[in-house]
């Protein structure tokens, strides 16, 4: 019955939207998978939309609006889906402008403005503008993925809003589609032009909009109420309700000469009034050339709050607060210890104060006067002055890392967005926080204090478990109590994250019934059919309705073969995804995560989508085995297990690990495909394949053979070597090692298919004075993990740990050639072996080194020097393997390749190559694999001169480069072997 109901619903949706789908140039999806994928954002809310549309142009937008109005449904404008208050969650038709409506339309350098479509990304825009010495001012923390349309809807600010303000200060003009489908441009108007708009055709919706605001703001009573109930003028961050206070202070109502501009009202309107199809933005010069950061230390949070007021006198570009909870989270983090270089003692709070100027003298003058004033007031005890992009980056990374670590606290209690966006005048912060602490103490909660203290906004996040009815009650009650507190201090309930579902229900309380009635009048005038993102700002449902974690959801404990105890189980590993959308970066921004999104720009091919689909079926399925759904399989099938998310996701979602476990469950129920079996068991066939040569290589070279096993015929399947590495090593006498002994892991790819690389690795190390031994071991288990046969991988991991645990030490490390195999010892083995062997596996992993890591370690000891290598000139371009970037680092590779005196190394800013083990060979994945390669890697290789050496340590990467460009890439070991002196 369940599947029949699902099928009937699916067919009904298809028929309902068929005509609309055929009429638009863009894409329309009404299947359940897309509806699930778009049911959440970065907030705590979830609601399944009716459908998802990816418009190509404003005509598509108009057609969807008309359709929604005729069928009495709604539209939800959406960019990157990074909203923290549920602004893009709703039951209507989601219109995602990020894929196609992302063009720069017009740019005027002299007048410093640009016109863009709403889907343009902020960081990409600023990359475009940088050569002209310009930028768009507001710089959100989500800049590498957010869209300008979303920034307008949310009136986004950013780290340096103290000097740059918000979008509202920089929006010049917007082209829109109104609720009736008419196209209207809103821009600056003189008093005469405003009056002309009011006296235009009374039947036009545009005229009614101007007439309504004129009537409302012409009332002296209304004007007085607005000035009384809105946040006081000293509160610069005010994203609450509609910005009628901004409209009030214009020429038609105050005679102050300031042009009237409805674009200012649309900033922060959350898509409830009009659908923006282009934006004209004011641009500003790039910041001054010289920057410094002063991480001022304080003995208490209160001291920092008072000090902030004094620091503002010295005109910093930003001041950020970090409390001791965030700092303490970084103490045990190996990756963050280096970034704590500036911390002295145990401060209870740090103000990160940034100055920017054209000369150091200007900065140091401001610094000296600031320190003198703080010292005279008795505030602070350590004021390091930090210059240099690298050092400054470490300071900011520490703050970011601390927040990431906080968000990864295992279990159901999470750092929750509910009261995280309040803003008051900076001078009021000490009193406000004193009152706030009393509220928190009432609930027995702890809270972290951080963020934009310069403008009076602190992100206050309590730990709550929204799966429990008790904490949901606290969630609502705490929000109400803080609303009372913010109103007392004449602040804004939202400083930058907006009202949405989270704060919208408190707007009547914050503004009073008269102004709230005005908001409703505005909404009704602009949108008489309630078609534009309803339930935001006005008529907002209660704060606890449509939460992502409902008390009635299912929260199954999934038995697993892989150890998920660090996240308190498989479900909570999936729930670590908070929807922040970091996996929506483009190749222009860089990084690895997420290559399938970069190639397609499709939301359903993000890490977030994979987490959403898994969570949805576990939360809402009544099946005993929720992980057997084909819908989940289809979405996870395009995860290429690159590990990019593990290295780059702020919540450390490890989708490769999650996918491997899922596939084991799915195959247990549905059977393991023959191709998956062949790939997984490939290492066991190595000896037989080599014994059958040259017949084996003859078969592998035939297109019909590729088709037979489900590979794409355009792929060249790797051939087998004439002799295995282990056979060569057993037959080849080597010099005794005078510098030490190492064990070489003869991985399944090097041993059988690229033994020449392994031979060069042994000869290189031996000639440098090391004894090289290949110990008895099994394959790495990489092929089994990639195909989801984790129980077999578990056996292999256990066997390898037991075989090697007594051999491998810091003095006799295990050295690997292929990153994907060697790094299983560090990354996967501790989670594959039984609990009794876990610590042993962790210890083994610490002494399992990539070849270049060992090489650089010996360089640092002075055991390997430039004297061993040629002085000839070589230019090398390096592509780094995905898992190496995520689990280890590319730095040792660059250091090793740079050892020969005249070798220059450039690391390409590439993400994943696209091959990803067997993924790129598989016929249904071939095109996507090549698309990924074409993003950055293939073009970079093609434009390299023939004399340039293309290097990469991954066997898959080398084959992808060869198939995609015709160039032969080599392993860095081969380069170093070739550079060795006779």
């Amino acid at each position: 019955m369940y599947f029949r109901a699902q099928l009937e619903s699916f067919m009904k949706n298809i028929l309902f939207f068929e005509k609309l789908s055929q009429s638009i140039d863009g894409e329309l999806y009404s299947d359940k998978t897309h509806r699930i994928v778009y049911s959440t954002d970065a907030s705590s809310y979830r609601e399944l939309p009716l459908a998802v549309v990816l418009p190509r142009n404003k005509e598509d937008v108009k057609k969807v609006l008309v359709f929604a109005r005729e069928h009495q449904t709604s539209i939800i404008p959406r960019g990157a889906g990074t909203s923290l208050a549920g602004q893009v969650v709703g039951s209507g038709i989601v219109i995602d402008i990020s894929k196609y409506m992302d063009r720069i339309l017009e740019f005027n350098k002299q007048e410093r403005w640009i016109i863009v479509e709403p889907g343009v990304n902020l960081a990409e825009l600023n990359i475009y503008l940088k050569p002209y010495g310009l930028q768009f001012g507001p710089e959100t923390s989500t800049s590498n993925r957010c869209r300008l349309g979303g920034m307008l809807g949310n009136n986004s600010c950013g780290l340096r809003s103290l000097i740059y303000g918000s979008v509202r200060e920089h929006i010049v003009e917007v082209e829109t589609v109104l609720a009736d489908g008419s196209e209207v441009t809103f821009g600056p108007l003189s008093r005469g032009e405003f009056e002309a708009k009011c006296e235009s055709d009374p039947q036009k919706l545009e005229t009614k909009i101007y007439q309504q605001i004129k009537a409302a703001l012409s009332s002296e009573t209304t004007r007085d109420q607005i000035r009384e109930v809105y946040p006081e003028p000293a509160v610069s961050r005010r994203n609450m309700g509609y910005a009628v206070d901004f409209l009030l202070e214009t020429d038609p109502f105050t005679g102050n000469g300031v042009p009237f501009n409805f674009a200012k009202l649309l900033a922060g309107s959350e898509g409830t009034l009009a659908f923006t199809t282009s934006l004209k933005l004011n641009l500003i010069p790039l910041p001054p050339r010289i920057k410094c950061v002063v991480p001022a230390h304080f003995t208490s949070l209160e001291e920092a709050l008072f000090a902030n007021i004094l620091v503002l006198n010295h005109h910093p570009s930003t001041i950020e607060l970090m409390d001791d909870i965030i700092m303490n989270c970084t103490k045990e983090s190996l990756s963050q210890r280096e970034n704590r270089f500036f911390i002295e003692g145990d401060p209870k709070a740090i103000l990160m104060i940034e100055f920017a100027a054209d000369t150091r003298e200007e900065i140091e003058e401001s610094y000296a006067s600031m320190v003198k004033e703080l010292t005279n007031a008795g505030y602070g005890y350590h004021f390091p002055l930090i210059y240099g992009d690298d050092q400054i980056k470490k300071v900011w990374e520490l703050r970011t890392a601390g927040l990431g670590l906080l968000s990864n606290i295992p279990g159901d209690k999470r750092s929750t967005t509910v009261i995280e966006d309040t803003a008051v005048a900076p001078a009021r912060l000490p009193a406000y926080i004193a009152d706030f602490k009393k509220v928190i103490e009432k609930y027995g909660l702890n809270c972290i204090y951080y963020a934009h203290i310069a403008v009076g906004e602190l992100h206050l996040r309590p730990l709550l478990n929204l799966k429990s009815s008790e904490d949901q009650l606290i969630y609502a009650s705490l929000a109400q109590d803080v609303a009372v507190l913010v109103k007392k201090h004449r602040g804004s309930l939202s400083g930058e994250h907006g009202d949405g579902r989270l704060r919208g229900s408190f707007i009547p309380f914050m503004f009073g019934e008269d102004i709230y009635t005005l908001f409703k009048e505005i909404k009704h005038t602009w949108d008489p059919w309630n078609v534009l993102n309803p339930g935001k700002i006005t008529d907002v449902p209660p704060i606890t309705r449509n939460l992502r974690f409902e008390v009635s959801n299912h929260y199954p404990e999934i038995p697993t073969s892989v150890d998920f105890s660090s996240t308190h189980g498989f479900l909570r590993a999936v729930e670590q995804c908070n929807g922040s959308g970091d996996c929506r970066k483009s190749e222009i921004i860089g990084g690895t995560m997420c290559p399938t999104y970069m190639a397609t720009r499709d939301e359903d091919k993000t890490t977030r989508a994979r987490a959403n689909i898994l969570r949805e079926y576990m939360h809402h399925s009544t099946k005993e085995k929720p992980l057997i759904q084909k819908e989940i399989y289809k979405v996870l099938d395009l995860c290429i297990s690159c590990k990019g998310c593990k290295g780059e996701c702020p919540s450390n979602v490890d989708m490769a690990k999650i996918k491997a476990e899922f596939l084991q469950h799915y195959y247990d129920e549905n059977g393991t495909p023959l191709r998956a079996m062949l790939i997984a068991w490939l290492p066991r066939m190595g000896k037989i394949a080599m014994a059958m040569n040259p017949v084996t290589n003859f078969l592998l070279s035939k297109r019909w053979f590729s088709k037979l096993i489900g590979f794409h015929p355009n792929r060249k399947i790797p051939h087998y070597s004439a002799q295995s590495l282990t056979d060569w090593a057993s037959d080849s006498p080597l010099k005794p090692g005078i510098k030490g002994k190492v064990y070489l892991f003869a991985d399944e790819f090097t041993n059988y298919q690229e033994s020449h690389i392994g031979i060069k690795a042994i000869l290189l190390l031996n000639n440098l004075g090391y004894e090289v031994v290949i110990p008895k071991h099994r394959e790495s288990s990489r092929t089994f993990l990639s195909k989801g046969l984790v129980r077999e991988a578990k056996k292999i991991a256990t066997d390898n740990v037991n075989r090697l645990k007594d051999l491998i030490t810091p003095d006799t490390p295990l050295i690997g050639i292929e990153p994907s195999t060697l790094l299983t010892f560090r990354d996967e083995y501790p989670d594959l072996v039984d609990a009794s062997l876990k610590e042993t596996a962790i210890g083994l992993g610490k002494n399992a080194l990539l070849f270049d890591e060992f090489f650089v370690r010996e360089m640092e000891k002075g055991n390997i020097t430039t004297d061993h290598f040629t002085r000839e000139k070589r230019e090398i371009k390096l592509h780094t393997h995905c898992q190496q970037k995520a689990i280890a680092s590319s730095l040792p590779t660059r250091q090793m390749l740079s050892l020969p005196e005249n070798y220059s190394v450039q690391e390409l800013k590439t993400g994943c190559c696209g091959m990803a083990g067997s993924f790129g060979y598989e016929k249904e994945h071939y095109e996507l694999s090549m698309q990924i390669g074409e993003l950055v890697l293939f073009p970079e290789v093609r434009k390299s001169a023939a004399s340039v050496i293309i290097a990469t340590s991954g066997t898959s990467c080398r084959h992808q480069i060869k198939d995609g460009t015709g160039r032969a890439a080599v392993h860095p070991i081969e380069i170093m072997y070739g550079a060795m002196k006779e």
Side-chain angles (χ1 to χ4, degrees):
M1 288 296 292
Y2 175 80
F3 287 109
R4 183 177 178 181
Q6 291 285 87
L7 180 61
E8 288 175 355
S9 173
F10 176 67
M11 293 304 296
K12 184 179 178 182
N13 257 6
I14 287 178
L15 294 172
F16 184 63
F17 289 107
E18 185 175 9
K19 187 175 180 182
L20 176 61
S21 180
Q22 292 173 352
S23 72
I24 63 174
D25 296 326
E27 303 166 23
L28 186 151
Y29 300 96
S30 59
D31 59 285
K32 189 171 183 184
T33 294
H34 276 86
R35 293 171 63 218
I36 289 170
V37 165
Y38 280 88
S39 65
T40 64
D41 50 14
S43 73
S44 300
Y45 294 92
R46 165 201 169 269
E47 191 169 2
L48 289 174
L50 278 176
V52 177
V53 173
L54 312 179
R56 287 185 181 270
N57 47 55
K58 64 184 174 184
E59 292 304 315
D60 282 354
V61 172
K62 289 167 67 175
K63 288 172 183 176
V64 177
L65 255 173
V66 170
F67 177 89
R69 196 174 69 242
E70 289 176 349
H71 291 86
Q72 296 183 320
T73 185
S74 62
I75 61 104
I76 302 105
R78 179 175 173 127
T82 59
S83 308
L84 287 164
Q87 286 96 323
V88 297
V89 173
S91 61
I93 303 169
V94 171
I95 302 182
D96 179 354
I97 45 82
S98 66
K99 184 173 183 178
Y100 296 121
M101 295 185 69
D102 63 347
R103 297 175 301 159
I104 293 173
L105 302 176
E106 190 177 350
F107 171 48
N108 190 311
K109 178 188 174 182
Q110 287 69 34
E111 296 180 14
R112 293 183 182 174
W113 54 259
I114 194 165
I115 299 175
V116 300
E117 288 186 314
V120 168
N121 167 253
L122 173 61
E124 291 180 24
L125 174 66
N126 281 333
I127 289 171
Y128 173 85
L129 292 170
K130 188 175 181 180
Y132 303 100
L134 298 171
Q135 66 175 359
F136 182 60
E139 41 179 354
T140 68
S141 61
T142 58
S143 63
N144 63 2
R145 57 204 186 273
C146 72
R147 309 290 159 162
L148 269 299
M151 290 182 69
L152 175 72
N154 216 48
N155 190 35
S156 298
C157 303
L159 182 67
R160 296 175 181 85
S161 66
L162 180 64
I163 54 175
Y164 294 148
S166 66
V167 170
R168 187 172 290 131
E169 281 77 56
H170 297 275
I171 187 71
V172 179
E173 188 175 280
V174 291
E175 288 187 5
T176 67
V177 177
L178 298 183
D180 65 348
S182 59
E183 294 180 41
V184 176
T185 298
F186 294 107
L189 301 174
S190 66
R191 181 184 296 194
E193 290 168 328
F194 174 81
E195 292 295 341
K197 290 283 187 183
C198 294
E199 295 167 8
S200 187
D201 184 352
Q203 299 304 311
K204 289 170 59 178
L205 182 56
E206 179 188 9
T207 306
K208 294 175 183 178
I209 288 168
Y210 278 99
Q211 288 174 340
Q212 185 274 330
I213 202 68
K214 179 183 178 181
L217 297 186
S218 295
S219 164
E220 191 69 37
T221 301
T222 301
R223 292 202 294 264
D224 290 344
Q225 285 181 312
I226 289 170
R227 292 180 175 122
E228 180 183 345
V229 302
Y230 268 76
E232 63 182 312
V235 180
S236 60
R237 286 187 175 224
R238 45 174 71 210
N239 267 13
M240 193 170 53
Y242 291 126
V244 291
D245 59 328
F246 207 95
L247 298 183
L248 174 59
E249 305 303 330
T250 60
D251 197 46
F253 305 106
T254 63
N256 60 4
V258 176
F260 179 93
N261 191 344
F262 262 136
K264 311 294 185 179
L265 180 71
L266 293 178
S269 65
E270 302 184 355
T272 61
L273 302 180
F275 197 108
T276 299
T277 56
S278 76
L279 307 85
K280 184 176 182 180
L281 307 170
N282 169 61
L283 304 174
I284 60 174
L286 289 171
R289 188 171 53 89
I290 299 174
K291 288 182 182 178
C292 82
V293 171
V294 182
H297 292 41
F298 299 92
T299 56
S300 70
L301 174 66
E302 288 72 22
E303 187 183 343
L305 296 174
F306 282 107
N308 174 64
I309 301 168
L310 300 184
V311 173
L312 287 169
N313 296 331
H314 302 275
H315 311 295
S317 52
T318 188
I319 315 171
E320 293 285 297
L321 172 72
M322 179 170 69
D323 72 3
D324 60 331
I325 299 177
I326 296 175
M327 282 182 275
N328 290 339
C329 278
T330 65
K331 278 186 176 179
E332 303 305 317
S333 171
L334 291 174
S335 64
Q336 291 305 315
R337 284 180 184 172
E338 185 182 346
N339 292 344
R340 291 175 55 87
F341 72 95
F342 61 88
I343 296 179
E344 183 175 294
D346 287 303
K348 290 297 180 183
I350 284 181
L351 292 183
M352 294 178 169
I353 306 159
E354 181 185 82
F355 290 104
D358 292 322
T359 66
R360 277 204 179 204
E361 288 74 18
E362 292 174 80
I363 285 178
E364 289 174 9
E365 184 180 336
S366 297
Y367 168 78
S369 62
M370 177 194 74
V371 171
K372 182 179 180 181
E373 185 172 7
L374 290 176
T375 304
N376 289 342
Y379 298 147
Y381 70 87
H382 182 50
F383 308 95
L385 183 60
I386 298 170
Y387 287 104
D389 291 344
D390 290 343
Q391 295 295 87
I392 290 173
K393 184 180 178 182
K394 289 178 183 178
V395 176
W396 292 122
E397 279 181 353
L398 186 77
R399 173 182 172 273
T400 304
L403 294 172
L405 292 165
L406 273 170
S407 68
N408 294 335
I409 296 171
D412 289 329
K413 279 191 177 292
R414 299 293 175 93
S415 174
T416 306
T417 53
V418 56
I419 52 170
E420 88 299 344
D421 198 34
T422 61
V424 299
R428 288 183 183 255
L429 261 180
Y432 171 72
I433 292 299
D435 287 345
F436 174 79
K437 283 188 170 183
K438 294 174 186 175
V439 172
I440 284 289
E441 287 168 7
K442 183 176 82 171
Y443 293 99
L445 296 173
N446 292 317
C447 192
I448 60 171
Y449 301 81
Y450 74 98
H452 319 298
I453 190 172
V455 285
E457 177 170 13
L458 294 185
H459 293 328
L460 312 165
R461 294 197 180 201
L463 293 174
L464 293 172
N465 173 17
L466 293 183
K467 294 178 181 178
S468 78
S469 56
E470 294 83 359
D471 276 17
Q472 283 199 13
L473 289 173
I474 292 174
Y475 184 74
S477 180
L478 177 62
Q480 179 62 57
D481 286 352
V482 170
V484 171
L485 190 57
V486 171
K487 187 172 183 178
K488 170 187 171 183
H489 289 273
R490 290 209 62 194
S492 177
L493 203 53
S494 171
E496 63 177 338
H497 297 161
D499 298 319
R501 295 286 187 86
L502 184 58
R503 284 170 279 271
S505 60
F506 299 105
I507 287 177
F509 167 77
M510 295 300 294
F511 288 98
E513 284 302 321
D514 288 344
I515 299 302
Y516 180 61
T517 299
L518 172 60
F519 291 168
K520 293 184 74 170
E521 288 173 1
I522 291 170
K523 169 65 174 174
H524 182 72
T525 304
W526 285 71
D527 183 17
W529 304 274
N530 204 28
V531 71
L532 293 161
N533 207 14
K536 319 298 187 313
I537 300 181
T538 60
D539 298 315
V540 181
I543 187 174
T544 53
R545 187 177 296 174
N546 296 121
L547 285 172
R548 185 186 297 190
F549 298 114
E550 294 285 4
V551 176
S552 60
N553 286 355
H554 298 276
Y555 299 107
E557 297 293 339
I558 307 291
T560 60
S561 299
V562 181
D563 180 16
F564 283 91
S565 60
S566 63
T567 55
H568 292 199
F570 180 84
L571 173 63
R572 292 178 185 87
V574 172
E575 291 172 347
Q576 275 187 281
C577 174
N578 60 21
S580 63
D582 293 73
C583 45
R584 285 178 55 98
K585 301 191 306 290
S586 75
E587 76 283 359
I588 297 170
I589 303 302
T592 301
M593 179 180 71
C594 176
T596 50
Y597 172 77
M598 289 181 180
T600 64
R601 304 296 175 96
D602 289 331
E603 173 71 25
D604 65 322
K605 297 173 184 65
T606 62
T607 308
R608 174 169 70 179
R610 292 161 193 142
N612 278 347
I613 198 83
L614 281 160
R615 185 181 59 244
E616 179 74 18
Y617 278 100
M618 285 191 283
H619 282 187
H620 299 281
S621 173
T622 57
K623 290 179 176 292
E624 183 182 346
K625 298 177 180 179
L627 296 182
I628 63 172
Q629 307 285 350
K630 195 168 186 179
E631 291 87 347
I632 303 177
Y633 179 85
K634 285 181 177 178
V635 173
L636 264 67
D637 180 52
L638 294 182
C639 167
I640 63 178
S641 300
C642 65
K643 292 282 184 177
C645 49
K646 180 164 185 173
E648 296 177 19
C649 172
S651 299
N652 297 126
V653 173
D654 187 349
M655 192 51 66
K657 177 181 176 181
I658 291 168
K659 178 184 178 180
E661 183 65 45
F662 161 76
L663 284 175
Q664 183 72 77
H665 287 258
Y666 187 81
Y667 291 157
D668 285 347
E669 193 70 21
N670 298 288
T672 307
L674 176 60
R675 187 180 65 189
M677 294 286 284
L678 284 171
I679 293 166
W681 290 87
L682 183 65
R684 307 282 175 87
M685 305 175 198
K687 286 185 178 180
I688 299 171
M690 294 188 82
M692 291 174 59
N693 251 341
V695 175
T696 302
N697 287 344
F698 174 78
L699 290 173
L700 293 177
S701 66
K702 298 302 175 183
R703 290 169 65 90
W704 61 262
F705 184 80
S706 294
K707 291 180 180 179
L708 180 67
I709 61 174
F711 282 4
H712 197 280
N714 288 353
R715 281 294 183 196
K716 295 178 178 63
I717 302 176
H719 285 195
Y720 282 84
S721 301
Q723 185 181 25
S724 71
L725 176 61
T726 50
D727 286 349
W728 178 88
S730 64
D731 296 339
S732 302
L734 298 171
K735 302 173 189 176
I738 58 173
K739 294 180 182 175
K741 179 179 181 179
V742 297
Y743 290 97
L744 183 71
F745 185 71
D747 67 81
E748 50 267 39
F749 307 110
T750 306
N751 192 32
Y752 295 120
Q753 294 167 316
E754 294 182 317
S755 61
H756 65 285
I757 299 175
I759 292 167
K760 288 176 181 177
I762 292 173
L763 291 174
L764 175 59
L765 288 172
N766 192 234
N767 287 335
L768 289 170
Y770 300 91
E771 179 187 357
V772 184
V773 177
I774 299 178
K776 294 288 184 183
H777 64 75
R778 294 177 65 179
E779 66 270 26
S780 69
S781 77
R782 173 56 59 201
T783 57
F784 292 93
L785 286 168
S786 73
K787 290 298 152 191
L789 304 185
V790 292
R791 282 196 294 272
E792 189 61 33
K794 186 181 182 77
K795 293 176 187 176
I796 296 167
T798 302
D799 197 7
N800 274 337
V801 171
N802 282 322
R803 287 180 186 224
L804 298 171
K805 63 181 180 179
D806 297 324
L807 288 177
I808 306 306
T809 69
D811 294 326
T812 55
L814 183 68
I815 296 176
I817 294 169
E818 165 60 34
S820 68
T821 59
L822 187 281
L823 291 174
T824 56
F825 286 89
R826 281 191 220 170
D827 187 27
E828 285 97 350
Y829 277 20
D831 291 332
L832 283 170
V833 300
D834 289 338
S836 60
L837 205 57
K838 190 178 184 74
E839 289 303 315
T840 303
I842 292 171
L844 177 60
K846 289 177 180 177
N847 296 313
L849 307 178
L850 293 170
F851 185 95
D852 46 2
E853 290 176 324
F854 171 77
F855 195 98
V856 169
R857 190 181 81 174
E858 294 303 296
M859 283 168 52
E860 291 170 349
K861 290 179 181 178
N863 290 335
I864 301 176
T865 68
T866 56
D867 294 338
H868 295 104
F869 296 95
T870 182
R871 292 187 176 181
E872 292 180 9
K873 292 185 73 172
R874 290 286 187 275
E875 183 182 351
I876 301 162
K877 289 190 176 181
L878 173 68
H879 164 73
T880 306
H881 188 281
C882 292
Q883 285 176 290
Q884 182 174 348
K885 282 186 282 193
I887 310 302
S889 169
S890 64
L891 179 60
T893 313
R894 286 181 276 127
Q895 289 175 319
M896 179 179 77
L897 290 172
S898 300
L899 181 63
E901 282 185 15
N902 295 308
Y903 276 30
S904 65
V905 184
Q906 175 194 353
E907 183 174 9
L908 300 175
K909 294 182 178 180
T910 50
C912 180
C913 74
M915 185 69 92
S918 67
F919 180 88
Y921 289 96
E922 294 161 357
K923 59 183 181 182
E924 69 275 24
H925 299 144
Y926 171 76
E927 294 295 338
L928 178 56
S929 168
M930 299 304 278
Q931 278 180 260
I932 294 169
E934 290 289 357
L935 292 172
V936 180
L937 178 60
F938 292 172
E940 285 287 346
V941 171
R942 290 190 192 109
K943 73 183 184 183
S944 300
S947 60
V948 173
I949 301 171
I950 307 299
T952 182
S953 58
T955 180
S956 294
C957 307
R958 291 191 294 277
H959 287 287
Q960 175 77 328
I961 290 169
K962 181 67 174 176
D963 285 355
T965 70
R967 287 283 295 266
V970 297
H971 197 291
I973 288 171
E974 297 180 86
I975 297 174
M976 298 308 293
Y977 177 80
M980 194 167 48
K981 288 180 179 177
E982 295 294 335

